[in-house]
Amino acid sequence: MSDKDTKPVLKLIDSANKPPTKKAGNVGGGSGQGGGKSKNEGRQFGNYQIIDNCFYHLKSKNDGGFEKIKLCDFSCKVIEERLTDDGLSEESILIIEGVRENGQLLRRVEVSTKSFSSRQTTWITDAWGMKALVLAGSQKMDNIRVCIQMYSRLDGDIPVTTVYKHGGWKEIDEHWLYLTGTGAISATGLTDGFTVDLGRGQMGNYQLPAPLAGDGLKQAVNNALMLLKVCPTKPHIGAALLAAAVRAPLGECHPTAFAIWLHGLTGSRKSALAAIVQAFFGNFDANRGFPGNWSDSVNDCEMKAHQAKDGVFTVDDFKPSVSQAEAAKLHAMAERLIRNTGNQAGRGRRDSNMQAKAAPFNRSMMLITAEDLPRGQSLLGRLLILELNRMDVDNAVLSELQRAAALEQFTGLMSAYLQWLAPRLDDLKRSFPEMIQQLRSLAIREGFAASHPRAPEIYANLMAGIDTFLEFLTDVEAVTSVQSNSLLLAIETSLKQAFTEQTEYQTEQDETERFLKLLQAALSSGEAHIADRLNQGPPNERPFSWGWRDAGTDVTGDKILSPKGDLIGWYSEISSAGPAEVWLQPECVFKVVQQFARGQGETFLISQPSLWRRMQEKGLILKTEPDTKSKKPRTAVKRTVAGRSVRVMVLSAELIESG
């Protein structure tokens, strides 16, 4: 979807006939054969008539007759009214075809109902240019609009069709249907008679065949379960990817407020694995491409993720390594997409009249392949991160999965799963959230998903999806109940392992941990220094660790140490009062850390107050004092340095020391 606020008034239908070669004697270069007459030539409808293929207005005269007033040099009619539903709003489009006065056909066009009804419209000129002339007169367009409507209904009501611009579940006539490019999956199987248009390019590959059954279904199930073996040394990766595929269609029952982040070095086969998951929902593979990629505009990606409702939507190849500016753009796009997913809300906008516009948000199971991680704990908390190395994927198993995908076994299996879900969806809309809540409580009690408050919810969603899928497999006798229980236990164990590993990624992006590491690096590289609190010289203990460097010797042969960079605090030696401390000047140390991060091509965006509060919550700030007004703990306390009183943050010297 374009990020422009305005859409073209009309669009040529792709299937329109090409104009024939212009013949000698034809005037004006029309789009069709000349010399023809409408079958309604001379027919009167209301106060209008077609004469020589032109619309005329019949105006009553005092003598009881009519004055024939020519409105334009063409006639046209609406042959179809097309309602488009994109999941945000419905728009009505009129399909119009016409003929010129000389009999030449005017090309078929699409015109929005809003534009057709407007008194200031220019749709005729926009559609047919100089080939269609509206004669002068203040009421001409009003008469033409009424004339077209009456003419179009001469043979009955104008046919109305609905085009769905999104996939996924839709309740139509009190029945749940899963919309896909080939029609709709219902309780009875693949149903035609529904038009789904997700757009050009890879989005058009969201197409599901008729559901598999019998031996074909069992074979597809066996091949799909090979995902559990595709990474022998990391079985949690295959388990999580299978869980993501079967959880995706349940987005109608409970929002999918998380994404899967599959990352690793180039050559680790992450895109090939993502293509297997994507292949459950259409004709996708790593060679043909994915529905989304990081070169898309963020608006386009948001809209496509909205269209891919209740399916998997892969955004391929997050690799912010071209330049700092381009990397910043990619990280900003990642933040917007992930927050859009986690919050289940799009970016609010207003039209020219300041009326709120419906904002697209991610309604899919988003799967991202990447060579790096997004920035910030908050973003990581909305993700399940799966890390691949080059030796993790069993290429023989991957090849079998790719062959099964090429034979449409996974799409046929998904169609069968959707057919099974359709009559149960109303019940699942009540029971599925309850199952998630129970599994979430279990994860919290057991403590294996403690990396972020959102982690138990993500685990519960994936396990609930697997549980529902295994119930389907048992119900259609693709697996036995014993096999189902064994699979459930194996996948549960693997997913627990996946969530246990999330803590490491959270620690890497913890703002307090980053602050300490950046501060240590700044001191080590000579970008800042810490002085002794008494004599302002180098600390007696390991001065090189505090930003001091050898500057030769003095006249007596004693070594001279020189400070590097800005002074950011003071060193207080071990005393009877306690261990060694570092007293940091809050503003100075924060400025140094920010500048050092920028020099490394990174960002450090957290505010000072938030950072100090988080450090205090973790017990990293050793001393506080109550604020005189709010009585809340104040992280900057008074200390005496070289005979003067300053406010500093007191931290353990051992915590800061960079040696």
Side-chain angles (χ1 to χ4, degrees):
M1 173 175 163
S2 173
D3 54 0
K4 297 182 180 178
D5 290 331
T6 56
K7 297 179 180 179
V9 169
L10 37 86
K11 180 177 60 177
L12 296 182
I13 294 182
D14 297 332
S15 60
N17 294 327
K18 300 293 182 183
T21 305
K22 179 179 174 182
K23 294 183 178 181
N26 278 357
V27 180
S31 297
Q33 300 287 352
K37 294 286 185 179
S38 166
K39 68 176 182 180
N40 291 306
E41 176 72 22
R43 186 173 179 181
Q44 182 177 336
F45 40 96
N47 292 328
Y48 302 97
Q49 189 175 15
I50 295 178
I51 301 175
D52 293 331
N53 292 325
C54 302
F55 285 139
Y56 280 78
H57 179 209
L58 305 181
K59 187 175 182 180
S60 301
K61 298 196 300 187
N62 293 333
D63 61 4
F66 293 96
E67 177 185 1
K68 297 182 178 180
I69 302 174
K70 188 175 183 180
L71 300 175
C72 55
D73 68 347
F74 64 91
S75 60
C76 61
K77 66 185 299 185
V78 180
I79 61 171
E80 178 187 344
E81 180 179 2
R82 183 176 297 167
L83 302 178
T84 60
D85 177 358
D86 63 4
L88 294 170
S89 60
E90 292 187 357
E91 183 182 7
S92 176
I93 300 292
L94 305 178
I95 313 301
I96 300 176
E97 61 181 18
V99 60
R100 298 178 67 188
E101 186 174 14
N102 62 5
Q104 292 176 331
L105 298 179
L106 292 170
R107 56 191 175 185
R108 188 179 297 183
V109 292
E110 294 182 0
V111 182
S112 70
T113 304
K114 181 178 180 180
S115 178
F116 180 82
S117 303
S118 173
R119 300 190 68 175
Q120 281 75 41
T121 186
T122 60
W123 74 263
I124 293 174
T125 304
D126 292 340
W128 296 313
M130 297 297 101
K131 297 174 184 175
L133 173 66
V134 176
L135 301 181
S138 59
Q139 301 298 316
K140 287 294 194 300
M141 283 305 302
D142 285 338
N143 278 299
I144 288 175
R145 174 174 52 79
V146 174
C147 182
I148 292 173
Q149 287 184 262
M150 295 183 69
Y151 178 39
S152 301
R153 298 191 301 181
L154 284 178
D155 299 322
D157 289 338
I158 299 170
V160 179
T161 60
T162 300
V163 176
Y164 297 99
K165 308 292 283 187
H166 68 88
W169 293 108
K170 178 81 173 179
E171 190 173 23
I172 301 174
D173 297 332
E174 299 183 350
H175 292 89
W176 284 104
L177 302 174
Y178 187 94
L179 301 174
T180 182
T182 51
I185 305 293
S186 68
T188 59
L190 181 61
T191 306
D192 56 11
F194 296 91
T195 303
V196 179
D197 179 13
L198 300 184
R200 297 182 180 181
Q202 301 300 329
M203 291 297 292
N205 290 337
Y206 279 98
Q207 298 186 11
L208 293 176
L212 289 174
D215 291 339
L217 177 59
K218 291 181 179 180
Q219 182 61 49
V221 169
N222 290 335
N223 286 333
L225 293 177
M226 290 176 66
L227 261 175
L228 302 177
K229 303 176 182 178
V230 74
C231 295
T233 59
K234 295 181 179 178
H236 62 276
I237 292 179
L241 294 178
L242 178 62
V246 301
R247 169 60 178 85
L250 295 163
E252 179 66 35
C253 305
H254 190 75
T256 308
F258 63 94
I260 307 296
W261 192 278
L262 183 62
H263 83 110
L265 296 174
T266 182
S268 58
R269 312 308 301 274
K270 54 187 179 295
S271 293
L273 278 185
I276 298 300
V277 182
Q278 189 66 63
F280 278 83
F281 293 89
N283 185 23
F284 297 96
D285 63 39
N287 295 323
R288 276 190 283 264
F290 294 95
N293 61 74
W294 292 96
S295 63
D296 294 337
S297 72
V298 64
N299 287 343
D300 180 56
C301 209
E302 281 181 335
M303 190 61 203
K304 290 193 290 190
H306 184 83
Q307 290 179 285
K309 180 178 182 289
D310 306 323
V312 168
F313 177 74
T314 302
V315 190
D316 187 44
D317 203 19
F318 178 81
K319 188 169 59 175
S321 59
V322 177
S323 67
Q324 289 191 19
E326 289 301 316
K329 289 180 183 178
L330 279 185
H331 278 289
M333 179 175 174
E335 179 173 4
R336 182 165 158 185
L337 289 178
I338 295 168
R339 293 197 185 281
N340 177 302
T341 299
N343 300 335
Q344 288 290 283
R347 191 175 187 180
R349 291 178 294 176
R350 299 274 169 171
D351 61 18
S352 58
N353 297 319
M354 293 306 295
Q355 298 297 310
K357 298 178 66 175
F361 61 93
N362 180 20
R363 301 187 296 173
S364 70
M365 171 66 72
M366 184 174 284
L367 173 58
I368 297 165
T369 68
E371 293 187 14
D372 198 359
L373 291 177
R375 296 169 179 164
Q377 280 185 300
S378 178
L379 296 187
L380 297 187
R382 293 163 167 83
L383 303 171
L384 172 60
I385 300 168
L386 305 173
E387 185 172 4
L388 272 176
N389 294 321
R390 287 175 177 164
M391 302 303 294
D392 288 338
V393 175
D394 185 324
N395 288 322
V397 175
L398 178 61
S399 296
E400 288 298 321
L401 288 166
Q402 290 171 332
R403 276 192 285 271
L407 294 173
E408 298 187 352
Q409 290 187 359
F410 298 154
T411 49
L413 169 58
M414 182 55 64
S415 293
Y417 181 39
L418 296 170
Q419 182 182 11
W420 181 85
L421 287 173
R424 297 168 173 81
L425 209 61
D426 283 321
D427 290 336
L428 282 169
K429 285 170 74 72
R430 292 186 294 269
S431 63
F432 191 70
E434 295 174 357
M435 188 191 313
I436 290 174
Q437 183 60 40
Q438 293 170 1
L439 289 166
R440 178 180 179 274
S441 299
L442 176 65
I444 293 173
R445 285 197 304 271
E446 295 189 8
F448 59 83
S451 60
H452 190 277
R454 290 177 181 260
E457 177 82 10
I458 299 175
Y459 167 81
N461 272 271
L462 293 173
M463 276 305 302
I466 282 291
D467 192 272
T468 305
F469 181 66
L470 291 176
E471 182 183 351
F472 153 68
L473 295 185
T474 305
D475 203 36
V476 298
E477 299 181 351
V479 298
T480 65
S481 57
V482 174
Q483 290 173 322
S484 176
N485 291 334
S486 177
L487 286 168
L488 184 63
L489 179 60
I491 293 172
E492 179 183 18
T493 302
S494 294
L495 287 181
K496 286 182 178 180
Q497 176 62 32
F499 281 88
T500 300
E501 293 184 0
Q502 301 305 298
T503 303
E504 179 183 348
Y505 304 115
Q506 287 288 332
T507 301
E508 290 175 358
Q509 294 294 320
D510 186 311
E511 285 84 355
T512 60
E513 294 289 335
R514 288 191 67 220
F515 169 77
L516 293 173
K517 289 179 180 179
L518 288 169
L519 176 55
Q520 291 169 355
L523 290 169
S524 296
S525 60
E527 299 292 329
H529 73 278
I530 288 174
D532 184 271
R533 75 177 184 90
L534 296 177
N535 59 25
Q536 304 298 295
N540 291 326
E541 297 292 331
R542 304 181 69 181
F544 287 89
S545 299
W546 304 110
W548 294 76
R549 298 293 181 267
D550 193 345
T553 59
D554 59 15
V555 293
T556 63
D558 292 332
K559 183 179 293 187
I560 299 175
L561 296 176
S562 172
K564 298 296 182 182
D566 296 337
L567 173 66
I568 59 173
W570 297 273
Y571 183 86
S572 177
E573 294 183 350
I574 299 173
S575 67
S576 58
E581 297 174 343
V582 169
W583 301 349
L584 295 176
Q585 299 182 90
E587 288 76 16
C588 292
V589 70
F590 191 80
K591 183 191 78 169
V592 165
V593 166
Q594 277 198 319
Q595 290 177 344
F596 189 81
R598 282 197 294 270
Q600 304 301 308
E602 300 180 15
T603 56
F604 193 75
L605 302 177
I606 189 172
S607 66
Q608 277 194 63
S610 296
L611 178 61
W612 308 149
R613 280 197 301 271
R614 293 185 186 184
M615 292 180 68
Q616 182 199 355
E617 290 172 359
K618 290 188 170 186
L620 301 179
I621 297 178
L622 302 182
K623 306 291 184 181
T624 61
E625 62 183 39
D627 186 90
T628 54
K629 294 182 179 180
S630 66
K631 304 302 180 183
K632 294 181 178 180
R634 187 171 184 175
T635 56
V637 298
K638 288 184 178 180
R639 288 291 184 269
T640 300
V641 177
R644 63 189 179 93
S645 179
V646 294
R647 283 199 172 273
V648 296
M649 290 191 310
V650 181
L651 278 70
S652 166
E654 184 180 358
L655 181 68
I656 299 296
E657 194 170 4
S658 62

